[in-house]
Amino acid sequence: MTGGEGMKIVILQGSPNRRGSTYLLADSFRQGAESAGHTVEIVDAARADARPAIADEVENFEEYDRVFIGHPIWWGDAPRIVQTFLESYPFADKRVYTFSTSGSSSGNGAYNGLREGYPEINFAGNLHFTSSRLSSAQTRVADWLSEILSAEAA
């Protein structure tokens, strides 16, 4: 900054949710900096349709009978990496179960979204945990697995 000129500021906005708190805060920072005489550019680093790469590939995926997918709930949905995974492997003849976590919301919306988005995949159930119920995870998971395995054996 030289001689009374405002600074040039760039703000990296990394949330695809245009109504979310990160987006709103980035805009508040922009407004505040501009009102102080600075030039601001917001760079949108996230898109709702952006797809991250899968970090660890599953070798011999065709050998697995059951697939369990764990994910957090982000804005009511499974994160995009789950969709990337579902579109990267052949799920014919596989039964898919999901388990999800959130601060307080239900897992039903995300689970139903996956079922609707991928009707060719045999989604067989979801077990959801809110942060206040994580202390019961060992028991709930054991009970759920017992229920699944006994139902499949019948």
Side-chain angles (χ1 to χ4, degrees), residues 81-101:
I81 190 65
V82 173
Q83 295 170 342
T84 301
F85 180 78
L86 294 173
E87 294 168 7
S88 298
Y89 294 98
F91 283 86
D93 302 321
K94 297 190 186 320
R95 194 168 286 166
V96 177
Y97 297 90
T98 64
F99 56 96
S100 55
T101 61

Side-chain angles (χ1 to χ4, degrees), residues 49-52 54 57 61 69 79-91 96 113-114 116-121 123:
D49 64 345
R51 294 292 180 96
I54 297 171
E57 297 293 324
F61 186 77
I69 300 171
R80 301 293 281 182
I81 190 65
V82 173
Q83 295 170 342
T84 301
F85 180 78
L86 294 173
E87 294 168 7
S88 298
Y89 294 98
F91 283 86
V96 177
L114 291 173
E116 291 168 12
Y118 300 90
E120 71 282 4
I121 295 177
F123 287 99

Side-chain angles (χ1 to χ4, degrees), residues 40-130:
V40 180
E41 179 180 358
I42 294 180
V43 175
D44 193 358
R47 296 186 337 255
D49 64 345
R51 294 292 180 96
I54 297 171
D56 297 321
E57 297 293 324
V58 180
E59 292 184 30
N60 304 315
F61 186 77
E62 65 281 352
E63 295 177 8
Y64 294 94
D65 301 307
R66 303 294 177 262
V67 179
F68 286 79
I69 300 171
H71 63 83
I73 304 291
W74 290 351
W75 307 298
D77 292 318
R80 301 293 281 182
I81 190 65
V82 173
Q83 295 170 342
T84 301
F85 180 78
L86 294 173
E87 294 168 7
S88 298
Y89 294 98
F91 283 86
D93 302 321
K94 297 190 186 320
R95 194 168 286 166
V96 177
Y97 297 90
T98 64
F99 56 96
S100 55
T101 61
S102 70
S104 61
S105 64
S106 161
N108 292 338
Y111 179 68
N112 290 334
L114 291 173
R115 292 180 68 195
E116 291 168 12
Y118 300 90
E120 71 282 4
I121 295 177
N122 181 11
F123 287 99
N126 177 64
L127 182 63
H128 180 71
F129 292 89
T130 57

Side-chain angles (χ1 to χ4, degrees), residues 133-151:
R133 297 192 69 197
L134 285 175
S135 61
S136 65
Q138 290 287 350
T139 302
R140 289 184 63 208
V141 168
D143 290 347
W144 189 51
L145 283 172
S146 177
E147 179 184 317
I148 290 169
L149 297 175
S150 63

Side-chain angles (χ1 to χ4, degrees), residues 1-10 33-34 36-41:
M1 188 166 104
T2 59
E5 296 174 18
M7 289 187 276
K8 289 183 69 174
I9 298 171
V10 64
E34 286 178 347
H38 305 293
T39 303
V40 180
E41 179 180 358

